[in-house]
Amino acid sequence: EYRKDDRSLIRLCGKFAEYRKDDPTSFQLSPEFSIYPQFMFHLRRSHFLQVFNSSPDESAYRRMILVRENTTNSLVMIQPALLSYSFHGPPEPVLLDVSSIQQNTILLLDTFFNVVVFHGETISSWRDQGYQDQPDHENFRNLLQAPKDDAQITMENRFPVPRYIVCDQHKSQSRFLLAVLNPSSGGSNGSNQQIFTDDVSLKVFMEHLMKLSVQG
């Protein structure tokens, strides 16, 4: 049996999408609706609907903040913002997907309630070896500092102040990042990172959505 939010999404897609009956390959949403299913995918995995391992007080607190905040902050709560920092240029937005984890990059995740600085395996290894303290590795020192500075700016402009977490790939604190990423297949992105979860991936979610919507 589908949950209420799933049924609503299926009805919406069945009404506004273009498709041939019983042909999922023909399913197509207009540009105005194109990212809506992805948004709902993250909503159904968020703490607002998934209350496991959260106390009733925590769940009520998060929902109270959601309805109190402006649209921009509410969107970040449902679909967090993820930035990637590398030697190749300025920070850039990346997908909320396990494929965004790279051994030689740093990720900055903003979920509104948490701000997470995540170091790839190579970056954390270089840091532990003290490369940033050597005069000829100024670029690496700046790379380490940039996401911390941006995280500080985010936290200074937000109330309640989010929890600040600095973690490394394959370490226990990395769960704060992995919990919000799309669990697509890993291992082909230079990180060897996989997410072990019972949640379906966005790809599987969309396949089922298209299949059920065209049955209308």
Side-chain angles (χ1 to χ4, degrees):
E1 181 180 354
Y2 304 107
R3 298 187 310 189
K4 181 178 179 180
D5 52 315
D6 293 332
R7 293 196 299 268
S8 298
L9 178 60
I10 293 168
R11 285 198 300 269
L12 183 144
C13 290
K15 182 174 182 179
F16 290 101
E18 296 181 1
Y19 57 86
R20 293 186 298 273
K21 193 174 187 310
D22 297 327
D23 182 8
T25 61
S26 66
F27 181 92
Q28 185 175 5
L29 282 169
S30 66
E32 293 81 4
F33 281 102
S34 59
I35 66 171
Y36 184 72
Q38 172 184 312
F39 188 77
M40 292 298 296
F41 170 78
H42 290 292
L43 173 62
R44 68 199 300 278
R45 299 181 71 230
S46 71
H47 288 294
F48 302 114
L49 297 183
Q50 298 287 351
V51 297
F52 176 76
N53 209 29
S54 296
S55 69
D57 286 348
E58 288 174 321
S59 298
Y61 168 74
R62 293 190 183 103
R63 291 170 179 173
M64 179 197 71
I65 296 295
L66 176 66
V67 299
R68 190 194 73 177
E69 285 295 329
N70 58 39
T71 301
T72 300
N73 287 337
S74 297
L75 291 174
V76 171
M77 294 181 209
I78 296 173
Q79 184 166 312
L82 187 63
L83 291 175
S84 176
Y85 296 73
S86 71
F87 291 112
H88 304 303
E92 58 181 2
V94 291
L95 295 174
L96 276 172
D97 191 283
V98 65
S99 63
S100 295
I101 296 178
Q102 303 287 330
Q103 294 177 340
N104 59 350
T105 64
I106 303 174
L107 298 178
L108 176 61
L109 174 73
D110 179 11
T111 71
F112 187 87
F113 298 105
N114 296 327
V115 173
V116 182
V117 176
F118 174 94
H119 300 101
E121 188 173 19
T122 300
I123 295 291
S124 60
S125 175
W126 289 344
R127 181 205 59 211
D128 293 343
Q129 295 176 57
Y131 284 8
Q132 69 277 12
D133 300 324
Q134 300 177 15
D136 54 344
H137 286 88
E138 181 180 0
N139 287 341
F140 180 58
R141 181 164 59 252
N142 293 338
L143 178 63
L144 285 178
Q145 189 60 39
K148 295 179 181 179
D149 292 342
D150 291 345
Q152 189 63 38
I153 293 173
T154 298
M155 292 188 292
E156 287 176 352
N157 296 320
R158 181 170 296 163
F159 182 82
V161 178
R163 180 179 180 182
Y164 180 53
I165 301 161
V166 179
C167 60
D168 299 335
Q169 187 178 1
H170 305 309
K171 298 297 178 64
S172 62
Q173 292 287 84
S174 66
R175 68 184 184 276
F176 289 98
L177 171 68
L178 300 181
V180 302
L181 296 183
N182 171 38
S184 64
S185 57
S188 59
N189 50 29
S191 68
N192 295 321
Q193 181 70 59
Q194 293 185 346
I195 298 179
F196 299 99
T197 176
D198 291 333
D199 289 343
V200 299
S201 67
L202 178 59
K203 180 177 182 292
V204 173
F205 175 78
M206 287 300 301
E207 288 174 349
H208 281 77
L209 175 61
M210 290 186 290
K211 179 181 178 181
L212 293 169
S213 296
V214 301
Q215 290 178 355

